[in-house]
Amino acid sequence: MNRLRHHAGVLAALAALAALLLAWGGNPYVMSITIAALMTGGVALAWALLGNLGGMVSFGHAAFVGAGAYVSALCTVRLGVPVPLGIVLGALGAAVSAIAMLPALRLRGPYFALAILAYAHIFRIIATEWSSLTRGAAGLSGIPALPVLPGLEPKASACLLAGLLVLGFALVYRTIRASHAGLALRAMHDSEDATRVLGVNSTLLKGLMLLVSSAMAGAIGAFNVHYIGFLEPDYAFGAMWVTLPIVAAIFGGYRTLAGPVIGALVVSLADQLLFKEWLPIGHQFLLGVLLVAMILAHPSGLLPLAGQALRRLRPGGSAKGGGHA
């Protein structure tokens, strides 16, 4: 029973994904926006892992998404690597690219965030100017598509793969959070100097969180490039890979495990199904309004707010508790 309760979240996520495919697996439009939401959720989860456990706010996850996309695209197009292996190499390539950012770990707060943002711009410039390899602004085309699982439509198959990828990220996040390293990282939030006195290598732990977070974002970039079949620098390193995941993570509750993914689903679906209909041009403005409203109403995010509401509904329930990671 304890093991079942321990895996209840995983089982619930798989059940929700199965129900989605059964209900709308044959609807390409619903599948498309769900895939986009899941990819946003994957980057949001990577961002939240770095921010919550690593204690570092990043404005440059587009660098990792783009690096993973280019590594996977080039490996599959130029070297004939199978797509699944290409996605793995994309994740590893993004982690390798993050090694160049390790010196920025000496910075704190907004200085680290701006330094990572600068790296994203540098990567975009390199991808644009190194045209002999990346074809520059002309972009790469003819990128092999994702494999289609038996018995599913291509869009439904991609949706299932995206869901399983994000679920894998969540399991990695949960494993790290429950480990001794996760305990040390949470202790560092209260006093980094005190944990150093106890022998905790804070720089090493932060570096590991940066590498894990970058690999997760790179895997999403690699997955996406095989989903759309085309890649060019402005898209690969675009601001959308920074702004939307951050909005999703904060809106859903970035200190919780499921919050970033729930936030991505709510924000992405609301943007595509509602805001875009109400305000075709500049509908992203409404996302900002939604985020500000959530921060003012409940800074912890949507998932902790829902948890408090459920506790109030229970007999003798209490609104205390935040579900922080």
Side-chain angles (χ1 to χ4, degrees):
M1 180 62 69
N2 288 334
R3 292 190 64 182
L4 183 62
R5 186 178 303 171
H6 182 70
H7 296 293
V10 175
L11 296 174
L14 291 173
L17 188 58
L20 175 71
L21 294 175
L22 287 172
W24 290 291
N27 189 319
Y29 177 68
V30 173
M31 288 294 99
S32 293
I33 59 177
T34 304
I35 292 166
L38 287 170
M39 288 192 290
T40 299
V43 180
L45 199 57
W47 182 88
L49 182 145
L50 186 63
N52 186 30
L53 293 183
M56 296 172 285
V57 176
S58 167
F59 290 159
H61 264 58
F64 309 134
V65 174
Y70 267 103
V71 169
S72 187
L74 290 171
C75 285
T76 53
V77 171
R78 302 286 177 88
L79 302 179
V81 171
V83 170
L85 179 58
I87 294 175
V88 174
L89 293 175
L92 293 176
V96 170
S97 74
I99 294 175
M101 304 180 189
L102 292 180
L105 293 177
R106 294 178 295 178
L107 304 174
R108 295 187 180 185
Y111 302 104
F112 174 82
L114 292 175
I116 298 299
L117 178 61
Y119 275 106
H121 284 291
I122 292 170
F123 285 9
R124 181 180 60 80
I125 292 171
I126 292 174
T128 303
E129 298 300 325
W130 198 354
S131 57
S132 60
L133 179 67
T134 66
R135 298 192 70 236
L140 290 169
S141 58
I143 299 171
L146 293 167
V148 178
L149 299 177
L152 293 175
E153 297 291 330
K155 292 280 187 181
S157 174
C159 184
L160 177 58
L161 292 174
L164 293 175
L165 184 62
V166 173
L167 182 59
F169 290 173
L171 293 174
V172 170
Y173 191 154
R174 187 176 71 177
T175 300
I176 294 174
R177 187 180 64 181
S179 67
H180 294 297
L183 179 62
L185 286 163
R186 292 196 297 275
M188 283 164 48
H189 293 181
D190 296 326
S191 177
E192 187 170 336
D193 293 333
T195 54
R196 284 178 177 173
V197 171
L198 294 174
V200 174
N201 190 332
S202 60
T203 302
L204 175 62
L205 288 179
K206 285 184 174 181
L208 290 175
M209 289 306 98
L210 179 61
L211 294 179
V212 173
S213 180
S214 63
M216 290 164 61
I220 292 294
F223 179 92
N224 181 56
V225 77
H226 294 291
Y227 172 64
I228 63 175
F230 178 78
L231 187 64
E232 54 91 21
D234 287 340
Y235 175 76
F237 301 98
M240 61 167 286
W241 295 114
V242 178
T243 54
L244 198 55
I246 292 177
V247 169
I250 295 175
F251 180 83
Y254 82 98
R255 290 189 179 277
T256 64
L257 184 60
V261 180
I262 298 296
L265 290 170
V266 172
V267 167
S268 298
L269 295 177
D271 182 50
Q272 293 298 315
L273 299 178
L274 298 177
F275 299 161
K276 209 169 185 179
E277 294 292 327
W278 298 340
L279 192 66
I281 299 177
H283 55 95
Q284 293 86 354
F285 165 77
L286 296 177
L287 287 178
V289 173
L290 183 65
L291 179 62
V292 170
M294 175 56 72
I295 291 174
L296 292 176
H298 200 272
S300 296
L302 179 64
L303 199 60
L305 176 62
Q308 288 186 9
L310 288 174
R311 283 190 290 272
R312 287 194 187 100
L313 294 174
R314 292 173 184 169
S318 171
K320 293 181 181 180
H324 285 199

